[in-house]
Coordinates of all heavy atoms in Angstrom, one line a residue:
S53 N -9.1 22.4 -7.8 CA -9.8 21.0 -7.7 C -8.5 20.0 -7.4 O -7.7 20.0 -8.2 CB -10.5 20.6 -8.8 OG -10.6 19.3 -8.9
R54 N -8.6 19.2 -6.5 CA -7.7 18.2 -6.1 C -8.2 16.9 -6.3 O -9.3 16.5 -5.8 CB -7.3 18.4 -4.6 CG -6.2 17.5 -4.3 CD -5.8 17.7 -2.9 NE -4.3 17.6 -2.7 CZ -3.7 17.8 -1.7 NH1 -4.3 18.2 -0.5 NH2 -2.5 17.6 -1.5
R55 N -7.6 16.2 -7.2 CA -8.1 14.8 -7.6 C -7.3 13.8 -6.9 O -5.9 13.8 -7.0 CB -7.9 14.7 -9.1 CG -8.7 13.6 -9.8 CD -8.7 13.9 -11.1 NE -9.8 13.1 -11.7 CZ -9.8 12.5 -12.8 NH1 -8.7 12.3 -13.4 NH2 -10.9 11.7 -13.2
T56 N -7.8 12.8 -6.2 CA -7.2 11.9 -5.5 C -7.5 10.6 -6.2 O -8.7 10.3 -6.8 CB -7.7 11.6 -4.0 OG1 -9.1 11.4 -4.0 CG2 -7.3 12.8 -3.2
K57 N -6.4 9.8 -6.4 CA -6.6 8.4 -7.0 C -6.7 7.3 -5.9 O -5.9 7.3 -5.1 CB -5.3 8.3 -7.9 CG -5.5 7.5 -9.1 CD -4.3 7.5 -9.9 CE -4.5 7.1 -11.3 NZ -3.4 7.1 -12.1
K58 N -7.6 6.4 -6.2 CA -7.8 5.3 -5.2 C -6.8 4.2 -5.8 O -6.6 3.9 -6.9 CB -9.1 4.8 -5.3 CG -10.2 5.8 -4.6 CD -11.5 5.3 -4.4 CE -12.4 6.2 -3.8 NZ -13.8 5.7 -3.7
L59 N -6.3 3.5 -4.8 CA -5.5 2.3 -5.0 C -6.4 1.2 -5.4 O -7.5 0.9 -4.7 CB -4.7 2.0 -3.8 CG -3.5 2.7 -3.4 CD1 -2.9 2.2 -2.1 CD2 -2.5 2.8 -4.6
S60 N -6.0 0.3 -6.3 CA -6.7 -0.9 -6.6 C -6.6 -1.9 -5.5 O -5.5 -1.7 -4.6 CB -6.3 -1.5 -7.9 OG -5.0 -2.1 -7.7
P61 N -7.4 -2.8 -5.3 CA -7.2 -3.8 -4.1 C -5.9 -4.5 -4.3 O -5.3 -4.8 -3.2 CB -8.4 -4.7 -4.3 CG -9.5 -3.9 -5.0 CD -8.7 -2.9 -5.9
I62 N -5.5 -4.7 -5.6 CA -4.3 -5.5 -5.7 C -3.1 -4.5 -5.3 O -2.1 -5.2 -4.6 CB -4.1 -5.9 -7.2 CG1 -5.1 -7.1 -7.5 CG2 -2.7 -6.5 -7.4 CD1 -5.2 -7.4 -8.9
A63 N -3.0 -3.4 -5.6 CA -2.0 -2.4 -5.2 C -1.9 -2.2 -3.7 O -0.8 -2.2 -3.2 CB -2.2 -1.1 -5.9
A64 N -3.2 -2.1 -3.1 CA -3.2 -2.0 -1.7 C -2.6 -3.2 -0.9 O -1.9 -3.1 -0.1 CB -4.7 -1.8 -1.3
A65 N -3.0 -4.4 -1.5 CA -2.4 -5.7 -0.9 C -0.9 -5.7 -1.0 O -0.2 -6.2 -0.1 CB -3.1 -6.9 -1.6
F66 N -0.5 -5.3 -2.3 CA 1.0 -5.2 -2.4 C 1.7 -4.3 -1.4 O 2.8 -4.7 -0.8 CB 1.3 -4.9 -3.8 CG 2.7 -4.8 -4.2 CD1 3.6 -5.9 -4.2 CD2 3.3 -3.4 -4.3 CE1 4.9 -5.7 -4.6 CE2 4.8 -3.4 -4.5 CZ 5.5 -4.4 -4.7
L67 N 1.2 -3.1 -1.2 CA 1.8 -2.1 -0.3 C 1.7 -2.6 1.1 O 2.7 -2.6 1.9 CB 1.1 -0.9 -0.4 CG 1.4 0.0 -1.7 CD1 0.6 1.3 -1.7 CD2 2.9 0.4 -1.7
L68 N 0.7 -3.3 1.5 CA 0.5 -3.8 2.8 C 1.5 -4.9 3.0 O 2.2 -5.0 4.1 CB -0.9 -4.3 3.0 CG -1.2 -5.0 4.4 CD1 -1.0 -3.9 5.5 CD2 -2.6 -5.5 4.6
G69 N 1.7 -5.8 2.0 CA 2.8 -6.8 2.0 C 4.2 -6.3 2.2 O 4.9 -6.7 3.0
L70 N 4.5 -5.1 1.5 CA 5.8 -4.5 1.7 C 5.9 -3.9 3.0 O 6.9 -4.2 3.8 CB 5.9 -3.4 0.7 CG 6.1 -3.7 -0.8 CD1 6.1 -2.6 -1.7 CD2 7.5 -4.5 -0.8
I71 N 4.9 -3.4 3.5 CA 5.0 -2.7 4.9 C 5.2 -3.9 6.0 O 6.0 -3.7 6.9 CB 3.7 -1.9 5.3 CG1 3.7 -0.5 4.4 CG2 3.6 -1.5 6.7 CD1 2.4 0.1 4.4
L72 N 4.4 -4.8 5.9 CA 4.5 -6.0 6.9 C 5.6 -6.6 6.9 O 6.4 -7.0 7.8 CB 3.2 -6.9 6.8 CG 1.9 -6.4 7.1 CD1 0.8 -7.5 6.9 CD2 1.9 -6.0 8.6
G73 N 6.3 -6.7 5.6 CA 7.5 -7.5 5.4 C 8.7 -6.7 6.0 O 9.7 -7.2 6.5
R74 N 8.4 -5.4 6.0 CA 9.6 -4.4 6.5 C 9.6 -4.5 8.0 O 10.7 -4.6 8.6 CB 9.2 -3.0 6.0 CG 9.9 -1.9 6.7 CD 11.3 -1.6 6.0 NE 12.0 -0.5 6.6 CZ 12.9 -0.4 7.5 NH1 13.2 -1.6 8.0 NH2 13.4 0.6 7.9
F75 N 8.5 -4.6 8.7 CA 8.4 -4.5 10.1 C 8.3 -5.8 10.7 O 8.6 -6.0 12.0 CB 7.2 -3.7 10.6 CG 7.4 -2.2 10.2 CD1 6.6 -1.7 9.3 CD2 8.5 -1.4 10.8 CE1 6.8 -0.3 8.8 CE2 8.5 -0.1 10.5 CZ 7.8 0.5 9.4
F76 N 7.9 -6.8 10.0 CA 7.8 -8.3 10.6 C 8.5 -9.2 9.7 O 8.1 -9.5 8.5 CB 6.3 -8.7 10.7 CG 5.5 -7.8 11.6 CD1 4.7 -6.8 11.1 CD2 5.6 -7.9 13.0 CE1 3.9 -5.9 12.0 CE2 4.9 -7.0 13.8 CZ 4.0 -6.1 13.3
P77 N 9.6 -9.7 10.0 CA 10.3 -10.6 9.1 C 9.5 -11.9 8.8 O 8.6 -12.3 9.4 CB 11.5 -11.1 10.0 CG 11.7 -10.1 11.2 CD 10.2 -9.5 11.3
S78 N 9.9 -12.3 7.5 CA 9.1 -13.3 6.9 C 9.0 -14.7 7.8 O 8.1 -15.4 7.6 CB 9.5 -13.6 5.7 OG 10.8 -14.0 5.5

């Protein structure tokens, strides 16, 4: 059995911010 963990909305928003900050300067 493979168990996947879902990201919380806050963690998802944080990761998205990191990704956008990496590819699109502030």
Side-chain angles (χ1 to χ4, degrees):
S53 154
R54 187 178 214 179
R55 196 166 202 225
T56 58
K57 213 174 196 181
K58 291 185 180 180
L59 286 177
S60 73
I62 293 172
F66 177 75
L67 284 173
L68 181 61
L70 284 176
I71 292 167
L72 289 176
R74 167 87 170 97
F75 295 107
F76 300 102
S78 61

